[in-house]
Amino acid sequence: MQPLTHHQIIGLVEPFTRRGRHVDLAASNRLERWLVFKPVEHEAGLRETLKLENAYDGYFRLTRRLHRDNGLEASLVAEGADAGELLRRIEAVPPQRQFSSGAGFETALSFRLDASNMILTDAVARFAGYTVSLRVPRTRGMAGEIELAAPAGSNVTLPEDLLAVIGWDWSPLRGSRARKDLWTSKVRLRGKEPRRSASAEKKLDTTLRHLVFTLSQPPSAFHRRHAGARWGAAFRRAIPLSTAVGMIGGVAMLPRAALDDFSPLRMMMFNLPTLLLALAFSMQEMPRFEIPPWPRRLKDDDWPHPLEV
């Protein structure tokens, strides 16, 4: 890989210069073949930087990074063979499109651009010291990954079904072995683009509104408000284990059943394990075989109460 020459740099930055963008040679790296442009200030404390990468001839990646005064950052990435066209496509997306806010929270959304869609790649939201991150895998059919971090220095205990009570598409919280203030979860995303990205944005908004409201109330209110949904979440967690137990029991009882060798029911029972295995691998996340905890009334000191939002 040859370093960028002075002549090549002049050619690369020409469409940017025409748009009022000026290269920052001190921040660029000719050896690694990438250029950084001087920051542009937007309204509402929004700062924009551009980075153009030219790893090899005929290929460019242009990345816009947006920084807010409150520390939130968002990116927008476009790839292609024409650097000027990438700039046009990125400038067509208003910076404000990558930020949103709700009742007590703010969100930064990062996207990549394909020929016709803005595809959500990840998002970060903050409220009352909590940080919620969503990562959307590129592979279609995989669930989005949620990460919830408690305020620094806090000693917070959260119920495993905190998000699962929202609905079938949300999985239980899993605590981190490395950090006591960090939890992960998954959310199912459906459809092709752009429907998949729109679904991810909507479900992130639903998640944030649920968290802001729930964590602003005493833990006992969570149980009282979601008692039925908590039992439903526990039932969903028990489905894989119940299915496996039922399948084993059914196969064990099969020899005692007076069924003909060519009976459709007998054939179905013999092929049921294979069908269930195929179904498991077709799901957005692998099933867990576990005995879920019973939903119990939470203690008032399980999380900060009340949480100021």
Side-chain angles (χ1 to χ4, degrees):
M1 182 172 61
Q2 298 295 323
L4 289 173
T5 65
H6 181 70
H7 178 74
Q8 287 175 319
I9 291 176
I10 293 177
L12 290 177
V13 303
E14 191 274 333
F16 293 82
T17 303
R18 282 191 280 108
R19 299 290 298 169
R21 310 275 185 161
H22 302 285
V23 68
D24 185 346
L25 289 176
S28 301
N29 191 320
R30 295 172 59 183
L31 294 176
E32 297 294 330
R33 298 180 63 89
W34 49 261
L35 304 173
V36 174
F37 294 84
K38 294 180 179 180
V40 174
E41 302 293 335
H42 295 280
E43 298 179 356
L46 200 58
R47 190 172 188 239
E48 173 187 334
T49 59
L50 287 177
K51 179 180 180 180
L52 178 66
E53 299 171 77
N54 180 212
Y56 52 86
D57 290 339
Y59 168 81
F60 298 94
R61 175 190 290 135
L62 183 61
T63 302
R64 178 175 77 180
R65 297 194 182 279
L66 299 169
H67 309 262
R68 295 199 66 169
D69 291 341
N70 60 8
L72 283 177
E73 298 183 3
S75 65
L76 182 64
V77 178
E79 299 175 330
D82 187 331
E85 173 63 15
L86 299 184
L87 177 61
R88 185 195 67 78
R89 289 167 56 192
I90 279 185
E91 287 189 330
V93 180
Q96 293 76 13
R97 167 66 180 88
Q98 295 188 245
F99 295 90
S100 64
S101 60
F105 64 86
E106 290 186 275
T107 307
L109 304 164
S110 294
F111 298 89
R112 61 182 172 87
L113 296 173
D114 67 6
S116 58
N117 298 313
M118 286 180 59
I119 300 173
L120 184 67
T121 57
D122 56 86
V124 177
R126 292 177 182 167
F127 66 94
Y130 285 83
T131 301
V132 179
S133 303
L134 171 66
R135 189 179 74 84
V136 181
R138 279 200 174 197
T139 305
R140 182 188 168 196
M142 292 187 64
E145 300 172 3
I146 297 175
E147 185 176 275
L148 171 62
S154 62
N155 185 19
V156 184
T157 300
L158 299 177
E160 294 181 2
D161 56 1
L162 180 63
L163 298 183
V165 298
I166 300 175
W168 278 79
D169 287 341
W170 282 261
S171 72
L173 285 181
R174 307 290 179 183
S176 169
R177 294 182 179 180
R179 292 176 52 184
K180 293 183 178 180
D181 60 349
L182 184 68
W183 299 265
T184 59
S185 179
K186 292 183 181 293
V187 60
R188 293 183 181 88
L189 304 175
R190 308 180 190 281
K192 300 179 180 179
E193 295 295 347
R195 180 185 169 193
R196 176 176 162 88
S197 289
S199 171
E201 285 192 61
K202 183 176 180 180
K203 287 180 176 177
L204 176 61
D205 183 77
T206 299
T207 300
L208 291 169
R209 293 181 186 278
H210 169 76
L211 286 172
V212 170
F213 178 81
T214 299
L215 296 178
S216 67
Q217 305 296 312
S220 56
F222 170 73
H223 180 78
R224 185 170 58 251
R225 181 182 179 88
H226 298 288
R230 298 190 75 193
W231 281 106
F235 170 76
R236 295 198 302 272
R237 291 179 66 174
I239 289 177
L241 182 59
S242 300
T243 301
V245 171
M247 180 182 67
I248 294 172
V251 173
M253 293 295 294
L254 189 59
R256 301 184 182 182
L259 296 175
D260 185 82
D261 289 343
F262 299 99
S263 168
L265 180 58
R266 177 182 287 272
M267 295 179 65
M268 183 187 72
M269 292 298 295
F270 271 118
N271 289 283
L272 186 59
T274 303
L275 294 174
L276 291 176
L277 186 62
L279 178 62
F281 278 101
S282 69
M283 297 175 65
Q284 294 195 9
E285 58 177 314
M286 290 299 295
R288 289 175 176 261
F289 297 92
E290 59 184 346
I291 300 176
W294 284 27
R296 300 180 183 277
R297 183 181 178 88
L298 305 178
K299 299 178 181 179
D300 282 342
D301 58 355
D302 277 353
W303 61 66
H305 163 60
L307 180 67
E308 298 295 336
V309 296

